[in-house]
Amino acid sequence: MRLFVGIAIPDEIGERLWALTGGVEGAHWMPPETYHLTLRFIGESGRPQAEELHAMLATITMPAFEIALAGVDYFGTASRPRVLWAGVEPSLELHRLARRVNRAARQAEFPREERAYTPHVTIARLHDTSMVEAMAYVQQKSLFRAPPFTVERFTLFESRQGKAEPAYIPLADYPLAGAPPA
């Protein structure tokens, strides 16, 4: 199974992200039900190692906190943009949670994450989109801001690749202190 740990995006914030879609040739816009903020990509895992990860994630304790999505950008190279995404306003709590999730993954013997953590929500995958077009989109949408929302839990997801969009199946939720019961 292919796993990642993330934060589900509330529906009302998803609606604001969906309003950003359109106007980019070669963009495959992600539907709102797939929006999430990845804390740590895990990758392929067998059941025993996934269960060990679950046990380690369940030990993470910290209070609920607020974050807000802000701005848009892209990942890719100078000649080939690959993904359009919405960013997150700086949040020490979010980075603290991501570090704790990363530590749990290491304790469950998953490989170290080598890339720097860049919190984002993928809104489109790009296919043969020009750099000029990607940059124009980023410039047009650069003032995007969504209201803050409270992160009350994080989730272990399984990612199943389909012919259209991937399906993200929640396997386990981990509430943060002060969050109401699910």
Side-chain angles (χ1 to χ4, degrees):
M1 67 181 86
R2 188 175 168 91
L3 304 175
F4 69 92
V5 180
I7 297 167
I9 300 300
D11 292 343
E12 60 274 9
I13 304 300
E15 290 171 11
R16 290 176 181 261
L17 290 170
W18 185 249
L20 296 173
T21 63
V24 178
E25 189 165 330
H28 177 77
W29 300 101
M30 304 302 289
E33 61 271 13
T34 66
Y35 294 154
H36 66 276
L37 195 154
T38 300
L39 292 166
R40 170 70 151 75
F41 177 72
I42 302 296
E44 292 297 327
S45 172
R47 185 151 311 277
Q49 194 176 19
E51 289 172 359
E52 179 67 18
L53 175 62
H54 167 64
M56 294 295 106
L57 292 172
T59 68
I60 294 174
T61 59
M62 64 181 286
F65 59 92
E66 282 195 345
I67 61 172
L69 302 184
V72 296
D73 209 339
Y74 66 90
F75 289 131
T77 63
S79 62
R80 191 171 182 194
R82 308 284 293 170
V83 171
L84 292 174
W85 51 270
V88 180
E89 289 184 350
S91 167
L92 291 174
E93 293 89 354
L94 178 62
H95 281 271
R96 185 174 297 126
L97 179 57
R99 281 192 308 274
R100 290 177 183 181
V101 167
N102 197 40
R103 187 176 317 121
R106 294 289 300 136
Q107 289 171 330
E109 299 186 9
F110 286 96
R112 178 179 306 280
E113 176 60 70
E114 299 298 329
R115 294 174 291 184
Y117 182 58
T118 304
H120 68 280
V121 178
T122 299
I123 55 177
R125 300 205 183 280
L126 304 176
H127 305 284
D128 299 321
T129 302
S130 73
M131 180 56 64
V132 170
E133 193 164 2
M135 290 174 66
Y137 175 85
V138 168
Q139 185 176 15
Q140 291 168 0
K141 308 294 184 182
S142 65
L143 297 180
F144 167 74
R145 298 286 180 275
F149 65 93
T150 302
V151 177
E152 298 177 335
R153 62 191 31 79
F154 62 99
T155 304
L156 176 61
F157 289 95
E158 179 181 1
S159 174
R160 294 184 185 162
Q161 301 299 332
K163 290 186 179 185
E165 294 85 29
Y168 302 132
I169 314 302
L171 301 177
D173 283 329
Y174 308 94
L176 300 176

